[in-house]
Amino acid sequence: MHIINPATETIIATIAPDNQHSLSTKYNLLRAAQPQWAARSVADRVAVVRRFRELLGSHQEELAATLTAEVGKPLSQSGNELNGAAARIQWLADNAEKFLADEQMTAAPGLQEIISYEPLGVVCNISAWNYPYLVGVNVFIPALLAGNAVMYKPSEHATLTGQHIAQLLKEAGVPDDIFQLALGAKETGELLLDMDFDGYFFTGSYRTGKHIYERVAHKMAPCQLELGGKDPVYVTDDVPDVKAVAAATADGAFYNNGQSCCAVERIYVHEKIYDDYVNEFVKEVNSWKAGDPTVAGTYIGPLTRREQLHELEKQVADALAQGAVIQAGGKALPGPGYYFAPTVLTNVTHSMRLMQEESFGPVIGIMKVSDDEEALKLMQDTVYGLTAGVYSSSQERAAAVLRKINAGTGYWNCCDRVSAAVPWSGRKHSGFGATLSHQGIRAFTKSKAWHLRTL
């Protein structure tokens, strides 16, 4: 399996993928070792996780360089991802003992009723390439804190980063047989789905998530899916600074080249400020530096996958054929590298693929609306349900819209952000289950009810 630098299209490493025999060996090691890890105190496991966090910081330069080389994101954004992962690990480590402790629900004379939280056992984490540290720590950190063993499959596009993660976890004190890597692409994933894990946790596309869910349903094991989105933002006519909002939402749409499940993918703007907003949005996009992701100041690097260039070209062509107007970009850039110009389209409608299908790239459609009711109707018109945002000077006005949208996260005057303190969850085609917060810690446990009566 070749690891290709998307900025240069050169092979930077060649990796031997796992096969059925090697995966079975790793699975058996995990199964045998997990009880000993679970028997350790939560405080012991927290100490190991804190050490891993420290190692991410002390090796940040090397880790960021590897991440940029294999996924193409600008070096500064790779550093930001590592900092964000450290912050999430901090919160999870700080709160693990609290949310994994037994809960006394009833204490009456002669009777106690208690809930305890036991580890699932051996879990399978099939992870993503767009934020391998962030989406990775959402799963394997709380899984380890709860006493589970983990089979971690990094995306084939983030294999070297996956190897770094495994190395540093073991250096931090995670036993060798508690965290194992499953290396490879689709074929490796299929082999994992044939194995009897005690939980399956996937981050990626709806199509792949649906396939995984169907493949493992008969096992009656927990299966949690963090999938894609077609996340809308509505900009009302009462925002105090159109330029600032345009810059913030442009960043929400194009950060990491738009390769974020919670990236802004549809923008609706009140007609009273529409022209000003589009003008400022395009100015912001045109001010960005695109090119070599290792050069300081680069904001737009290459896409991670070559095939995504063709998907974006098809979305843009479909929109243009139906009357959309290009305000910026609109096409792939000359190689080498998988570059696509940041693209802004207006005069868009919901008959266009651009406004219905996940883009996962640097393209955005901006649509004029006459009032909050029209914006709400359009924001609701999606099979996804990950995030939605409203920019307005009135929290009450924004909340009135957001309460009616079936999405796991609502944003007021912000977008494209995740916090460890609150759950990260999707609805409809954006998946189900939750990572982060106390829910994300307990997602890796099974509860046991205790009825304790004295004689």
Side-chain angles (χ1 to χ4, degrees), residues 18 20 67 89 96 155 252 280 285 287 317 383 389:
D18 276 296
Q20 186 169 10
L67 182 57
I89 294 169
S155 165
E280 294 296 343
V285 171
S287 74
V383 296

Side-chain angles (χ1 to χ4, degrees), residues 105 156 236 314 392:
M105 309 306 292
E156 62 271 28
T236 69
K314 287 190 290 186
S392 170

Side-chain angles (χ1 to χ4, degrees), residues 75-120:
L75 198 55
S76 62
Q77 295 183 19
S78 291
N80 290 344
E81 180 176 348
L82 284 157
N83 291 334
R88 292 188 193 179
I89 294 169
Q90 181 73 49
W91 191 95
L92 292 165
D94 287 347
N95 289 275
E97 290 185 85
K98 175 182 177 181
F99 293 120
L100 293 173
D102 291 355
E103 289 185 287
Q104 183 167 279
M105 309 306 292
T106 301
L111 175 67
Q112 291 186 75
E113 294 170 343
I114 296 172
I115 302 172
S116 64
Y117 296 93
E118 303 173 348
L120 294 174

Side-chain angles (χ1 to χ4, degrees), residues 233-253 264 267-270 273 276-278 280-282 284 288 366 389-393 412-415:
V233 157
Y234 170 40
V235 182
T236 69
D237 57 321
D238 67 3
V239 295
D241 188 336
V242 173
K243 180 179 180 179
V245 171
T249 49
D251 183 64
V264 176
I267 300 177
Y268 306 97
V269 183
H270 196 285
I273 62 166
D276 287 344
Y277 175 88
V278 171
E280 294 296 343
F281 192 99
V282 172
E284 177 68 17
W288 294 332
I366 305 176
V390 175
Y391 281 76
S392 170
S393 61
W412 176 46
N413 293 339
C414 58
C415 59

Side-chain angles (χ1 to χ4, degrees), residues 4-10 70-71 129 157 259 302-313 332-340:
I4 298 173
N5 184 323
T8 63
E9 300 185 51
T10 58
E70 64 178 345
V71 306
W129 52 262
H157 301 291
Q259 297 172 128
L303 294 165
T304 303
R305 301 172 301 150
R306 178 196 293 273
E307 56 267 29
Q308 195 63 18
L309 292 172
H310 307 301
E311 291 301 314
L312 297 178
E313 287 175 331
L333 299 175
Y338 313 145
Y339 290 91
F340 199 93

